[in-house]
mmCIF file with all atom_site columns, all heavy atoms in Angstrom:
data_model
loop_
_atom_site.group_PDB
_atom_site.id
_atom_site.type_symbol
_atom_site.label_atom_id
_atom_site.label_alt_id
_atom_site.label_comp_id
_atom_site.label_asym_id
_atom_site.label_entity_id
_atom_site.label_seq_id
_atom_site.pdbx_PDB_ins_code
_atom_site.Cartn_x
_atom_site.Cartn_y
_atom_site.Cartn_z
_atom_site.occupancy
_atom_site.B_iso_or_equiv
_atom_site.pdbx_formal_charge
_atom_site.auth_seq_id
_atom_site.auth_comp_id
_atom_site.auth_asym_id
_atom_site.auth_atom_id
_atom_site.pdbx_PDB_model_num
ATOM 1   N N   . ALA S 1 1  ? -6.234  -5.922  14.466  1.00 85.00 ? 5  ALA S N   1
ATOM 2   C CA  . ALA S 1 1  ? -5.477  -7.146  14.135  1.00 85.00 ? 5  ALA S CA  1
ATOM 3   C C   . ALA S 1 1  ? -6.223  -8.081  13.186  1.00 85.00 ? 5  ALA S C   1
ATOM 4   O O   . ALA S 1 1  ? -5.581  -8.696  12.287  1.00 85.00 ? 5  ALA S O   1
ATOM 5   C CB  . ALA S 1 1  ? -5.146  -7.862  15.475  1.00 85.00 ? 5  ALA S CB  1
ATOM 6   N N   . GLY S 1 2  ? -7.540  -8.130  13.359  1.00 82.00 ? 6  GLY S N   1
ATOM 7   C CA  . GLY S 1 2  ? -8.319  -8.941  12.389  1.00 82.00 ? 6  GLY S CA  1
ATOM 8   C C   . GLY S 1 2  ? -8.308  -8.404  11.055  1.00 82.00 ? 6  GLY S C   1
ATOM 9   O O   . GLY S 1 2  ? -8.239  -9.194  9.988   1.00 82.00 ? 6  GLY S O   1
ATOM 10  N N   . ARG S 1 3  ? -8.395  -7.083  10.890  1.00 84.00 ? 7  ARG S N   1
ATOM 11  C CA  . ARG S 1 3  ? -8.266  -6.476  9.573   1.00 84.00 ? 7  ARG S CA  1
ATOM 12  C C   . ARG S 1 3  ? -6.953  -6.775  8.938   1.00 84.00 ? 7  ARG S C   1
ATOM 13  O O   . ARG S 1 3  ? -6.841  -7.082  7.775   1.00 84.00 ? 7  ARG S O   1
ATOM 14  C CB  . ARG S 1 3  ? -8.405  -4.963  9.720   1.00 84.00 ? 7  ARG S CB  1
ATOM 15  C CG  . ARG S 1 3  ? -8.308  -4.155  8.405   1.00 84.00 ? 7  ARG S CG  1
ATOM 16  C CD  . ARG S 1 3  ? -8.011  -2.723  8.717   1.00 84.00 ? 7  ARG S CD  1
ATOM 17  N NE  . ARG S 1 3  ? -6.701  -2.505  9.337   1.00 84.00 ? 7  ARG S NE  1
ATOM 18  C CZ  . ARG S 1 3  ? -6.395  -1.511  10.041  1.00 84.00 ? 7  ARG S CZ  1
ATOM 19  N NH1 . ARG S 1 3  ? -7.281  -0.554  10.322  1.00 84.00 ? 7  ARG S NH1 1
ATOM 20  N NH2 . ARG S 1 3  ? -5.132  -1.370  10.544  1.00 84.00 ? 7  ARG S NH2 1
ATOM 21  N N   . ASP S 1 4  ? -5.853  -6.648  9.762   1.00 87.00 ? 8  ASP S N   1
ATOM 22  C CA  . ASP S 1 4  ? -4.549  -6.945  9.157   1.00 87.00 ? 8  ASP S CA  1
ATOM 23  C C   . ASP S 1 4  ? -4.475  -8.410  8.711   1.00 87.00 ? 8  ASP S C   1
ATOM 24  O O   . ASP S 1 4  ? -3.780  -8.757  7.733   1.00 87.00 ? 8  ASP S O   1
ATOM 25  C CB  . ASP S 1 4  ? -3.497  -6.627  10.221  1.00 87.00 ? 8  ASP S CB  1
ATOM 26  C CG  . ASP S 1 4  ? -3.388  -5.169  10.471  1.00 87.00 ? 8  ASP S CG  1
ATOM 27  O OD1 . ASP S 1 4  ? -3.913  -4.324  9.612   1.00 87.00 ? 8  ASP S OD1 1
ATOM 28  O OD2 . ASP S 1 4  ? -2.879  -4.703  11.553  1.00 87.00 ? 8  ASP S OD2 1
ATOM 29  N N   . LEU S 1 5  ? -5.086  -9.345  9.503   1.00 84.00 ? 9  LEU S N   1
ATOM 30  C CA  . LEU S 1 5  ? -5.078  -10.718 9.065   1.00 84.00 ? 9  LEU S CA  1
ATOM 31  C C   . LEU S 1 5  ? -5.799  -10.902 7.777   1.00 84.00 ? 9  LEU S C   1
ATOM 32  O O   . LEU S 1 5  ? -5.338  -11.674 6.905   1.00 84.00 ? 9  LEU S O   1
ATOM 33  C CB  . LEU S 1 5  ? -5.731  -11.544 10.192  1.00 84.00 ? 9  LEU S CB  1
ATOM 34  C CG  . LEU S 1 5  ? -5.844  -13.062 9.882   1.00 84.00 ? 9  LEU S CG  1
ATOM 35  C CD1 . LEU S 1 5  ? -4.502  -13.701 9.650   1.00 84.00 ? 9  LEU S CD1 1
ATOM 36  C CD2 . LEU S 1 5  ? -6.603  -13.834 10.937  1.00 84.00 ? 9  LEU S CD2 1
ATOM 37  N N   . LEU S 1 6  ? -6.938  -10.230 7.600   1.00 80.00 ? 10 LEU S N   1
ATOM 38  C CA  . LEU S 1 6  ? -7.607  -10.360 6.316   1.00 80.00 ? 10 LEU S CA  1
ATOM 39  C C   . LEU S 1 6  ? -6.797  -9.839  5.173   1.00 80.00 ? 10 LEU S C   1
ATOM 40  O O   . LEU S 1 6  ? -6.714  -10.459 4.072   1.00 80.00 ? 10 LEU S O   1
ATOM 41  C CB  . LEU S 1 6  ? -8.975  -9.560  6.395   1.00 80.00 ? 10 LEU S CB  1
ATOM 42  C CG  . LEU S 1 6  ? -9.746  -9.462  5.149   1.00 80.00 ? 10 LEU S CG  1
ATOM 43  C CD1 . LEU S 1 6  ? -10.167 -10.845 4.661   1.00 80.00 ? 10 LEU S CD1 1
ATOM 44  C CD2 . LEU S 1 6  ? -10.971 -8.543  5.264   1.00 80.00 ? 10 LEU S CD2 1
ATOM 45  N N   . LEU S 1 7  ? -6.173  -8.691  5.326   1.00 85.00 ? 11 LEU S N   1
ATOM 46  C CA  . LEU S 1 7  ? -5.377  -8.142  4.274   1.00 85.00 ? 11 LEU S CA  1
ATOM 47  C C   . LEU S 1 7  ? -4.159  -9.061  3.945   1.00 85.00 ? 11 LEU S C   1
ATOM 48  O O   . LEU S 1 7  ? -3.756  -9.267  2.806   1.00 85.00 ? 11 LEU S O   1
ATOM 49  C CB  . LEU S 1 7  ? -4.818  -6.766  4.741   1.00 85.00 ? 11 LEU S CB  1
ATOM 50  C CG  . LEU S 1 7  ? -5.875  -5.661  4.784   1.00 85.00 ? 11 LEU S CG  1
ATOM 51  C CD1 . LEU S 1 7  ? -5.272  -4.431  5.355   1.00 85.00 ? 11 LEU S CD1 1
ATOM 52  C CD2 . LEU S 1 7  ? -6.504  -5.414  3.443   1.00 85.00 ? 11 LEU S CD2 1
ATOM 53  N N   . ALA S 1 8  ? -3.691  -9.729  5.031   1.00 86.00 ? 12 ALA S N   1
ATOM 54  C CA  . ALA S 1 8  ? -2.576  -10.685 4.837   1.00 86.00 ? 12 ALA S CA  1
ATOM 55  C C   . ALA S 1 8  ? -3.086  -11.876 3.985   1.00 86.00 ? 12 ALA S C   1
ATOM 56  O O   . ALA S 1 8  ? -2.361  -12.443 3.103   1.00 86.00 ? 12 ALA S O   1
ATOM 57  C CB  . ALA S 1 8  ? -2.009  -11.144 6.147   1.00 86.00 ? 12 ALA S CB  1
ATOM 58  N N   . GLN S 1 9  ? -4.341  -12.298 4.228   1.00 81.00 ? 13 GLN S N   1
ATOM 59  C CA  . GLN S 1 9  ? -4.881  -13.384 3.452   1.00 81.00 ? 13 GLN S CA  1
ATOM 60  C C   . GLN S 1 9  ? -5.068  -12.993 1.940   1.00 81.00 ? 13 GLN S C   1
ATOM 61  O O   . GLN S 1 9  ? -4.878  -13.861 1.076   1.00 81.00 ? 13 GLN S O   1
ATOM 62  C CB  . GLN S 1 9  ? -6.238  -13.767 4.049   1.00 81.00 ? 13 GLN S CB  1
ATOM 63  C CG  . GLN S 1 9  ? -6.174  -14.563 5.342   1.00 81.00 ? 13 GLN S CG  1
ATOM 64  C CD  . GLN S 1 9  ? -5.427  -15.834 5.220   1.00 81.00 ? 13 GLN S CD  1
ATOM 65  O OE1 . GLN S 1 9  ? -5.723  -16.646 4.324   1.00 81.00 ? 13 GLN S OE1 1
ATOM 66  N NE2 . GLN S 1 9  ? -4.414  -16.055 6.071   1.00 81.00 ? 13 GLN S NE2 1
ATOM 67  N N   . ILE S 1 10 ? -5.478  -11.768 1.737   1.00 80.00 ? 14 ILE S N   1
ATOM 68  C CA  . ILE S 1 10 ? -5.561  -11.286 0.282   1.00 80.00 ? 14 ILE S CA  1
ATOM 69  C C   . ILE S 1 10 ? -4.199  -11.376 -0.364  1.00 80.00 ? 14 ILE S C   1
ATOM 70  O O   . ILE S 1 10 ? -4.040  -11.813 -1.450  1.00 80.00 ? 14 ILE S O   1
ATOM 71  C CB  . ILE S 1 10 ? -6.202  -9.848  0.271   1.00 80.00 ? 14 ILE S CB  1
ATOM 72  C CG1 . ILE S 1 10 ? -7.605  -9.857  0.838   1.00 80.00 ? 14 ILE S CG1 1
ATOM 73  C CG2 . ILE S 1 10 ? -6.115  -9.329  -1.118  1.00 80.00 ? 14 ILE S CG2 1
ATOM 74  C CD1 . ILE S 1 10 ? -8.268  -8.511  0.936   1.00 80.00 ? 14 ILE S CD1 1
ATOM 75  N N   . LYS S 1 11 ? -3.170  -10.910 0.382   1.00 85.00 ? 15 LYS S N   1
ATOM 76  C CA  . LYS S 1 11 ? -1.828  -10.852 -0.222  1.00 85.00 ? 15 LYS S CA  1
ATOM 77  C C   . LYS S 1 11 ? -1.368  -12.310 -0.447  1.00 85.00 ? 15 LYS S C   1
ATOM 78  O O   . LYS S 1 11 ? -0.699  -12.588 -1.460  1.00 85.00 ? 15 LYS S O   1
ATOM 79  C CB  . LYS S 1 11 ? -0.886  -10.110 0.704   1.00 85.00 ? 15 LYS S CB  1
ATOM 80  C CG  . LYS S 1 11 ? -1.134  -8.634  0.777   1.00 85.00 ? 15 LYS S CG  1
ATOM 81  C CD  . LYS S 1 11 ? -0.150  -7.960  1.762   1.00 85.00 ? 15 LYS S CD  1
ATOM 82  C CE  . LYS S 1 11 ? 1.250   -8.022  1.273   1.00 85.00 ? 15 LYS S CE  1
ATOM 83  N NZ  . LYS S 1 11 ? 2.200   -7.202  2.144   1.00 85.00 ? 15 LYS S NZ  1
ATOM 84  N N   . ALA S 1 12 ? -1.709  -13.191 0.461   1.00 85.00 ? 16 ALA S N   1
ATOM 85  C CA  . ALA S 1 12 ? -1.247  -14.589 0.329   1.00 85.00 ? 16 ALA S CA  1
ATOM 86  C C   . ALA S 1 12 ? -1.876  -15.300 -0.833  1.00 85.00 ? 16 ALA S C   1
ATOM 87  O O   . ALA S 1 12 ? -1.277  -16.296 -1.333  1.00 85.00 ? 16 ALA S O   1
ATOM 88  C CB  . ALA S 1 12 ? -1.584  -15.357 1.648   1.00 85.00 ? 16 ALA S CB  1
ATOM 89  N N   . ARG S 1 13 ? -2.998  -14.864 -1.282  1.00 82.00 ? 17 ARG S N   1
ATOM 90  C CA  . ARG S 1 13 ? -3.729  -15.522 -2.405  1.00 82.00 ? 17 ARG S CA  1
ATOM 91  C C   . ARG S 1 13 ? -3.373  -14.920 -3.795  1.00 82.00 ? 17 ARG S C   1
ATOM 92  O O   . ARG S 1 13 ? -3.829  -15.332 -4.742  1.00 82.00 ? 17 ARG S O   1
ATOM 93  C CB  . ARG S 1 13 ? -5.249  -15.419 -2.206  1.00 82.00 ? 17 ARG S CB  1
ATOM 94  C CG  . ARG S 1 13 ? -5.733  -16.488 -1.220  1.00 82.00 ? 17 ARG S CG  1
ATOM 95  C CD  . ARG S 1 13 ? -7.037  -16.181 -0.593  1.00 82.00 ? 17 ARG S CD  1
ATOM 96  N NE  . ARG S 1 13 ? -7.537  -17.332 0.220   1.00 82.00 ? 17 ARG S NE  1
ATOM 97  C CZ  . ARG S 1 13 ? -7.082  -17.684 1.373   1.00 82.00 ? 17 ARG S CZ  1
ATOM 98  N NH1 . ARG S 1 13 ? -6.077  -17.002 1.938   1.00 82.00 ? 17 ARG S NH1 1
ATOM 99  N NH2 . ARG S 1 13 ? -7.538  -18.825 1.980   1.00 82.00 ? 17 ARG S NH2 1
ATOM 100 N N   . LEU S 1 14 ? -2.466  -13.905 -3.745  1.00 86.00 ? 18 LEU S N   1
ATOM 101 C CA  . LEU S 1 14 ? -1.982  -13.413 -4.987  1.00 86.00 ? 18 LEU S CA  1
ATOM 102 C C   . LEU S 1 14 ? -0.896  -14.325 -5.583  1.00 86.00 ? 18 LEU S C   1
ATOM 103 O O   . LEU S 1 14 ? -0.165  -14.944 -4.795  1.00 86.00 ? 18 LEU S O   1
ATOM 104 C CB  . LEU S 1 14 ? -1.316  -11.964 -4.746  1.00 86.00 ? 18 LEU S CB  1
ATOM 105 C CG  . LEU S 1 14 ? -2.362  -10.876 -4.392  1.00 86.00 ? 18 LEU S CG  1
ATOM 106 C CD1 . LEU S 1 14 ? -1.618  -9.580  -4.113  1.00 86.00 ? 18 LEU S CD1 1
ATOM 107 C CD2 . LEU S 1 14 ? -3.448  -10.703 -5.460  1.00 86.00 ? 18 LEU S CD2 1
ATOM 108 N N   . PRO S 1 15 ? -0.735  -14.354 -6.880  1.00 85.00 ? 19 PRO S N   1
ATOM 109 C CA  . PRO S 1 15 ? 0.315   -15.186 -7.455  1.00 85.00 ? 19 PRO S CA  1
ATOM 110 C C   . PRO S 1 15 ? 1.707   -14.701 -7.151  1.00 85.00 ? 19 PRO S C   1
ATOM 111 O O   . PRO S 1 15 ? 1.853   -13.486 -6.697  1.00 85.00 ? 19 PRO S O   1
ATOM 112 C CB  . PRO S 1 15 ? 0.084   -15.126 -8.921  1.00 85.00 ? 19 PRO S CB  1
ATOM 113 C CG  . PRO S 1 15 ? -0.753  -13.933 -9.150  1.00 85.00 ? 19 PRO S CG  1
ATOM 114 C CD  . PRO S 1 15 ? -1.560  -13.706 -7.892  1.00 85.00 ? 19 PRO S CD  1
ATOM 115 N N   . ALA S 1 16 ? 2.769   -15.440 -7.429  1.00 88.00 ? 20 ALA S N   1
ATOM 116 C CA  . ALA S 1 16 ? 4.042   -15.046 -7.054  1.00 88.00 ? 20 ALA S CA  1
ATOM 117 C C   . ALA S 1 16 ? 4.526   -13.809 -7.836  1.00 88.00 ? 20 ALA S C   1
ATOM 118 O O   . ALA S 1 16 ? 5.442   -13.036 -7.394  1.00 88.00 ? 20 ALA S O   1
ATOM 119 C CB  . ALA S 1 16 ? 5.038   -16.154 -7.361  1.00 88.00 ? 20 ALA S CB  1
ATOM 120 N N   . THR S 1 17 ? 3.922   -13.553 -9.013  1.00 89.00 ? 21 THR S N   1
ATOM 121 C CA  . THR S 1 17 ? 4.283   -12.423 -9.858  1.00 89.00 ? 21 THR S CA  1
ATOM 122 C C   . THR S 1 17 ? 3.556   -11.130 -9.427  1.00 89.00 ? 21 THR S C   1
ATOM 123 O O   . THR S 1 17 ? 3.741   -10.084 -10.124 1.00 89.00 ? 21 THR S O   1
ATOM 124 C CB  . THR S 1 17 ? 4.004   -12.727 -11.323 1.00 89.00 ? 21 THR S CB  1
ATOM 125 O OG1 . THR S 1 17 ? 2.669   -13.067 -11.483 1.00 89.00 ? 21 THR S OG1 1
ATOM 126 C CG2 . THR S 1 17 ? 4.855   -13.848 -11.763 1.00 89.00 ? 21 THR S CG2 1
ATOM 127 N N   . ALA S 1 18 ? 2.776   -11.171 -8.409  1.00 90.00 ? 22 ALA S N   1
ATOM 128 C CA  . ALA S 1 18 ? 1.995   -10.001 -7.979  1.00 90.00 ? 22 ALA S CA  1
ATOM 129 C C   . ALA S 1 18 ? 2.389   -9.566  -6.512  1.00 90.00 ? 22 ALA S C   1
ATOM 130 O O   . ALA S 1 18 ? 2.785   -10.366 -5.680  1.00 90.00 ? 22 ALA S O   1
ATOM 131 C CB  . ALA S 1 18 ? 0.513   -10.285 -8.062  1.00 90.00 ? 22 ALA S CB  1
ATOM 132 N N   . SER S 1 19 ? 2.251   -8.222  -6.288  1.00 91.00 ? 23 SER S N   1
ATOM 133 C CA  . SER S 1 19 ? 2.512   -7.756  -4.987  1.00 91.00 ? 23 SER S CA  1
ATOM 134 C C   . SER S 1 19 ? 1.560   -6.577  -4.700  1.00 91.00 ? 23 SER S C   1
ATOM 135 O O   . SER S 1 19 ? 1.081   -5.904  -5.550  1.00 91.00 ? 23 SER S O   1
ATOM 136 C CB  . SER S 1 19 ? 3.991   -7.202  -4.871  1.00 91.00 ? 23 SER S CB  1
ATOM 137 O OG  . SER S 1 19 ? 4.131   -6.116  -5.755  1.00 91.00 ? 23 SER S OG  1
ATOM 138 N N   . LEU S 1 20 ? 1.232   -6.445  -3.400  1.00 92.00 ? 24 LEU S N   1
ATOM 139 C CA  . LEU S 1 20 ? 0.293   -5.437  -2.942  1.00 92.00 ? 24 LEU S CA  1
ATOM 140 C C   . LEU S 1 20 ? 0.828   -4.804  -1.615  1.00 92.00 ? 24 LEU S C   1
ATOM 141 O O   . LEU S 1 20 ? 1.137   -5.509  -0.668  1.00 92.00 ? 24 LEU S O   1
ATOM 142 C CB  . LEU S 1 20 ? -1.079  -6.097  -2.653  1.00 92.00 ? 24 LEU S CB  1
ATOM 143 C CG  . LEU S 1 20 ? -2.105  -5.106  -2.054  1.00 92.00 ? 24 LEU S CG  1
ATOM 144 C CD1 . LEU S 1 20 ? -2.512  -4.029  -2.993  1.00 92.00 ? 24 LEU S CD1 1
ATOM 145 C CD2 . LEU S 1 20 ? -3.376  -5.931  -1.714  1.00 92.00 ? 24 LEU S CD2 1
ATOM 146 N N   . THR S 1 21 ? 0.949   -3.476  -1.665  1.00 93.00 ? 25 THR S N   1
ATOM 147 C CA  . THR S 1 21 ? 1.372   -2.746  -0.459  1.00 93.00 ? 25 THR S CA  1
ATOM 148 C C   . THR S 1 21 ? 0.473   -1.532  -0.240  1.00 93.00 ? 25 THR S C   1
ATOM 149 O O   . THR S 1 21 ? -0.266  -1.104  -1.172  1.00 93.00 ? 25 THR S O   1
ATOM 150 C CB  . THR S 1 21 ? 2.841   -2.285  -0.589  1.00 93.00 ? 25 THR S CB  1
ATOM 151 O OG1 . THR S 1 21 ? 2.949   -1.404  -1.724  1.00 93.00 ? 25 THR S OG1 1
ATOM 152 C CG2 . THR S 1 21 ? 3.754   -3.510  -0.676  1.00 93.00 ? 25 THR S CG2 1
ATOM 153 N N   . TRP S 1 22 ? 0.494   -0.970  0.963   1.00 93.00 ? 26 TRP S N   1
ATOM 154 C CA  . TRP S 1 22 ? -0.212  0.234   1.294   1.00 93.00 ? 26 TRP S CA  1
ATOM 155 C C   . TRP S 1 22 ? 0.460   0.943   2.374   1.00 93.00 ? 26 TRP S C   1
ATOM 156 O O   . TRP S 1 22 ? 1.197   0.339   3.253   1.00 93.00 ? 26 TRP S O   1
ATOM 157 C CB  . TRP S 1 22 ? -1.649  -0.103  1.636   1.00 93.00 ? 26 TRP S CB  1
ATOM 158 C CG  . TRP S 1 22 ? -1.771  -1.078  2.809   1.00 93.00 ? 26 TRP S CG  1
ATOM 159 C CD1 . TRP S 1 22 ? -1.889  -0.785  4.130   1.00 93.00 ? 26 TRP S CD1 1
ATOM 160 C CD2 . TRP S 1 22 ? -1.799  -2.520  2.695   1.00 93.00 ? 26 TRP S CD2 1
ATOM 161 N NE1 . TRP S 1 22 ? -1.997  -1.928  4.821   1.00 93.00 ? 26 TRP S NE1 1
ATOM 162 C CE2 . TRP S 1 22 ? -1.940  -2.976  3.984   1.00 93.00 ? 26 TRP S CE2 1
ATOM 163 C CE3 . TRP S 1 22 ? -1.819  -3.366  1.614   1.00 93.00 ? 26 TRP S CE3 1
ATOM 164 C CZ2 . TRP S 1 22 ? -1.992  -4.367  4.237   1.00 93.00 ? 26 TRP S CZ2 1
ATOM 165 C CZ3 . TRP S 1 22 ? -1.836  -4.759  1.850   1.00 93.00 ? 26 TRP S CZ3 1
ATOM 166 C CH2 . TRP S 1 22 ? -1.947  -5.224  3.134   1.00 93.00 ? 26 TRP S CH2 1
ATOM 167 N N   . SER S 1 23 ? 0.342   2.233   2.467   1.00 94.00 ? 27 SER S N   1
ATOM 168 C CA  . SER S 1 23 ? 1.033   3.009   3.526   1.00 94.00 ? 27 SER S CA  1
ATOM 169 C C   . SER S 1 23 ? 0.338   2.982   4.868   1.00 94.00 ? 27 SER S C   1
ATOM 170 O O   . SER S 1 23 ? 0.911   3.004   5.902   1.00 94.00 ? 27 SER S O   1
ATOM 171 C CB  . SER S 1 23 ? 1.218   4.472   3.044   1.00 94.00 ? 27 SER S CB  1
ATOM 172 O OG  . SER S 1 23 ? -0.011  5.056   2.835   1.00 94.00 ? 27 SER S OG  1
ATOM 173 N N   . SER S 1 24 ? -1.016  3.039   4.846   1.00 93.00 ? 28 SER S N   1
ATOM 174 C CA  . SER S 1 24 ? -1.803  2.963   6.065   1.00 93.00 ? 28 SER S CA  1
ATOM 175 C C   . SER S 1 24 ? -3.171  2.452   5.811   1.00 93.00 ? 28 SER S C   1
ATOM 176 O O   . SER S 1 24 ? -3.668  2.465   4.653   1.00 93.00 ? 28 SER S O   1
ATOM 177 C CB  . SER S 1 24 ? -1.853  4.385   6.758   1.00 93.00 ? 28 SER S CB  1
ATOM 178 O OG  . SER S 1 24 ? -2.540  5.274   5.908   1.00 93.00 ? 28 SER S OG  1
ATOM 179 N N   . ALA S 1 25 ? -3.861  2.025   6.852   1.00 91.00 ? 29 ALA S N   1
ATOM 180 C CA  . ALA S 1 25 ? -5.149  1.453   6.769   1.00 91.00 ? 29 ALA S CA  1
ATOM 181 C C   . ALA S 1 25 ? -6.096  1.990   7.886   1.00 91.00 ? 29 ALA S C   1
ATOM 182 O O   . ALA S 1 25 ? -5.592  2.180   8.973   1.00 91.00 ? 29 ALA S O   1
ATOM 183 C CB  . ALA S 1 25 ? -5.117  -0.035  6.734   1.00 91.00 ? 29 ALA S CB  1
#
């Protein structure tokens, strides 16, 4: 859950024109 929160923080700091996805971690 902590890892997923960190990844969510990385995604949140991307600009509106950027997106980041992954299939598994």
Side-chain angles (χ1 to χ4, degrees):
R7 178 200 67 203
D8 293 340
L9 177 62
L10 173 64
L11 293 174
Q13 288 297 311
I14 295 176
K15 293 179 65 174
R17 279 160 173 74
L18 295 174
T21 56
S23 65
L24 173 64
T25 61
W26 55 91
S27 60
S28 62

